[in-house]
Amino acid sequence: MYRVLAKKQSVVVEEMLYSLSNLDAYEWVWIDLSSSTKEEAAELFHYYRFHPLAVEDCLDAINQRPKVDFFDEYMFLVIYALKENYLMEELDIFVNERFIITYHQKAIMEIDEVWKNAINNPAETPIDILHKLIDKVVDEYFPKAYDIEERLNALEENADLLSIKELINHLYDLRMIIFRIRRVILPMNDLLYRITHTEKMTLISEKQYYFNDVYDHLLKLREMIEGYRDFSADLRDNYMSVSSNNMNETIMALTIITTIFMPLSFIAGLYGMNFSFMPMAEWRNGFWYVMIVMGISAILMVIFFMAKGWLFRTRVHKRHRDNE
């Protein structure tokens, strides 16, 4: 599937069909290829004589790293749009002063918004469209980033009193999302840096202030993601420490119980031997004497453990944060 937006005689029109032989008649053209066949895209790329490596990265490569390549008459970009459920959608762009070609496998909301805006703004150029595309894509990262921050804060407060296991599972899911976004943000940051500092395309230098603004947004986003990564690592360490502490408490409780019953088991085992002659074996109240000795022994050990502070410790289930 493809669609064409073209400017001719100061008017921007949306063409339902296009012919390769008529593309040069327009001042500039925007061709959006969405879920197109490789043959259809390859025919268009061949017409513009794009470099085979750029065509290969566009058509054949999977999960390309965000990048920008400068060629003699155009540049080739790979960026990623963040969709629902934190999924990434690759967007490949070829652009110069006469054309902008976007290629993607699934629908991208940001392209639709810029497309509608370009129809009503005939003064725009392909470089303007490129700037707005990147700007829209970057801006859509921020709501998702703020959502991650809220989810991290919720895990820190643990208002739902989730178990440590549940907290750690939620935290690892969030860390997977953070690392997925980070793998895209870092190279996109380098991509914008190269665009804003290039001397290979004079059209870019004319719009440098606009691209610098997008670069600033990416820097802020990068700082946010790095902060979330560190915050999630601190939460993970805290939860692991709490989990380890609770496990130690459990082991200590079981050890204390075992220690209390050790002398009782010894006495019971000693007087459970079937010998004919044993001290107190013929006593009328011998059983009760032994029970009293065992009870006193257990009470003394409990008192000793309490004095050491090894009994009745309070477990930590919830982390509280002071209100600022």
Side-chain angles (χ1 to χ4, degrees), residues 21-253:
S21 60
N22 295 332
L23 290 180
D24 290 335
Y26 301 109
E27 294 181 33
W28 59 258
V29 62
W30 178 6
I31 303 176
D32 180 42
L33 301 170
S34 177
S35 304
S36 301
T37 63
K38 289 186 177 182
E39 293 74 15
E40 186 179 36
E43 181 182 6
L44 178 64
F45 296 161
H46 178 73
Y47 172 81
Y48 282 106
R49 299 180 181 178
F50 292 149
H51 195 281
L53 292 179
V55 174
E56 180 182 358
D57 289 342
C58 183
L59 297 181
D60 299 329
I62 300 177
N63 296 328
Q64 273 284 312
R65 185 176 185 270
K67 65 174 185 176
V68 57
D69 292 330
F70 296 98
F71 295 93
D72 293 337
E73 299 180 353
Y74 61 92
M75 66 178 179
F76 170 64
L77 301 92
V78 178
I79 62 176
Y80 281 86
L82 184 60
K83 305 186 70 175
E84 297 298 327
N85 299 322
Y86 303 97
L87 298 177
M88 301 290 180
E89 181 62 30
E90 181 177 334
L91 173 60
D92 303 312
I93 305 173
F94 296 89
V95 61
N96 72 358
E97 71 276 6
R98 293 290 310 280
F99 64 79
I100 177 169
I101 298 174
T102 50
Y103 179 84
H104 49 101
Q105 290 298 324
K106 297 180 181 179
I108 298 178
M109 177 186 64
E110 293 84 349
I111 292 181
D112 296 334
E113 294 178 2
V114 177
W115 186 274
K116 294 177 182 178
N117 182 267
I119 294 176
N120 301 319
N121 290 276
E124 289 190 342
T125 66
I127 301 301
D128 293 322
I129 295 174
L130 173 66
H131 161 256
K132 290 188 175 181
L133 277 176
I134 300 177
D135 188 41
K136 284 286 186 181
V137 167
V138 172
D139 286 346
E140 286 300 317
Y141 277 82
F142 282 96
K144 304 294 192 304
Y146 291 132
D147 181 63
I148 292 174
E149 182 178 7
E150 292 178 0
R151 293 172 65 179
L152 285 173
N153 290 334
L155 287 179
E156 183 191 24
E157 295 173 355
N158 192 19
D160 296 331
L161 296 179
L162 300 177
S163 66
I164 295 297
K165 183 178 180 180
E166 291 174 318
L167 288 171
I168 291 178
N169 288 338
H170 288 311
L171 183 60
Y172 275 113
D173 290 340
L174 270 181
R175 282 179 62 82
M176 289 291 293
I177 294 173
I178 292 171
F179 283 116
R180 188 186 307 159
I181 295 177
R182 184 175 181 270
R183 282 196 297 267
V184 172
I185 291 300
L186 294 185
M188 282 183 63
N189 191 81
D190 297 336
L191 180 152
L192 261 296
Y193 180 85
R194 291 189 61 194
I195 289 179
T196 54
H197 290 78
T198 184
E199 297 180 356
K200 296 184 178 180
M201 293 192 69
T202 57
L203 294 175
I204 292 293
S205 60
E206 295 173 1
K207 304 291 183 179
Q208 185 172 6
Y209 291 113
Y210 296 97
F211 286 98
N212 279 337
D213 181 66
V214 181
Y215 180 64
D216 291 339
H217 292 173
L218 269 176
L219 285 178
K220 179 182 178 181
L221 188 61
R222 176 178 178 176
E223 292 173 356
M224 292 172 61
I225 295 301
E226 293 290 355
Y228 298 158
R229 185 184 65 157
D230 295 339
F231 185 24
S232 64
D234 292 339
L235 284 179
R236 178 197 59 193
D237 294 340
N238 290 339
Y239 289 147
M240 295 299 291
S241 297
V242 171
S243 178
S244 177
N245 178 73
N246 288 342
M247 182 178 295
N248 290 338
E249 293 285 349
T250 301
I251 294 175
M252 179 179 292

